[in-house]
Amino acid sequence: QVQLVESGGGLVQAGESLRLSCVAAGLTFTNYHMAWFRQAPGHEREFVAGLSINSDKTFYGDSVKGRFAISRDNAKSTVTLEMNNLQPEDAAVYYCAAQVDGSAYPMNRDYGIDYWGKGTLVTVSS
């Protein structure tokens, strides 16, 4: 059974930083590109960041470029999202996502994702 388990969410003030982690189990981690999405109340799920298997390609949503950084540790089956200068508009449930290598679909779309975590809540106060 595939599991993606996120951690690291919490309450921060605007301008502060958080680090989210996701541990994958039940899959061959090096067969999957990894991504983070987020969903705020009343909004559609939004692509945040993506990373290729060998970390040679990274992708970011326009709203987080320059502030967030995605990385992975294939030895630990872990993907991390470093979030800096958080703003109230960054508040959302953040989801870890996995896309199998060779997928015909884009990584930055819901339908391109093969597995989802259950999410971790990030709250940012102004």
Side-chain angles (χ1 to χ4, degrees):
Q1 182 181 0
V2 175
Q3 284 189 312
L4 302 178
V5 180
E6 303 95 336
S7 62
L11 171 64
V12 296
Q13 293 188 338
E16 294 185 339
S17 300
L18 270 180
R19 183 183 188 191
L20 304 184
S21 294
C22 170
V23 179
L27 53 74
T28 301
F29 192 66
T30 51
N31 286 348
Y32 289 85
H33 307 290
M34 300 300 296
W36 289 92
F37 286 72
R38 68 186 182 187
Q39 188 168 21
H43 290 76
E44 293 186 354
R45 190 149 48 187
E46 173 190 17
F47 172 78
V48 175
L51 182 63
S52 61
I53 291 170
N54 295 319
S55 300
D56 56 340
K57 296 178 182 178
T58 56
F59 310 91
Y60 293 97
D62 288 341
S63 61
V64 306
K65 283 180 181 177
R67 299 187 298 123
F68 289 15
I70 187 172
S71 61
R72 65 190 289 164
D73 185 336
N74 287 342
K76 297 181 179 179
S77 298
T78 300
V79 59
T80 298
L81 185 68
E82 298 277 358
M83 306 186 295
N84 298 309
N85 190 22
L86 283 161
Q87 299 299 315
E89 54 266 32
D90 295 315
V93 176
Y94 282 71
Y95 297 92
C96 179
Q99 181 195 57
V100 69
D101 187 32
S103 173
Y105 304 105
M107 183 194 300
N108 62 348
R109 296 289 185 267
D110 282 14
Y111 57 83
I113 298 300
D114 296 285
Y115 298 107
W116 294 96
K118 293 184 178 180
T120 185
L121 178 64
V122 173
T123 305
V124 184
S125 64
S126 57

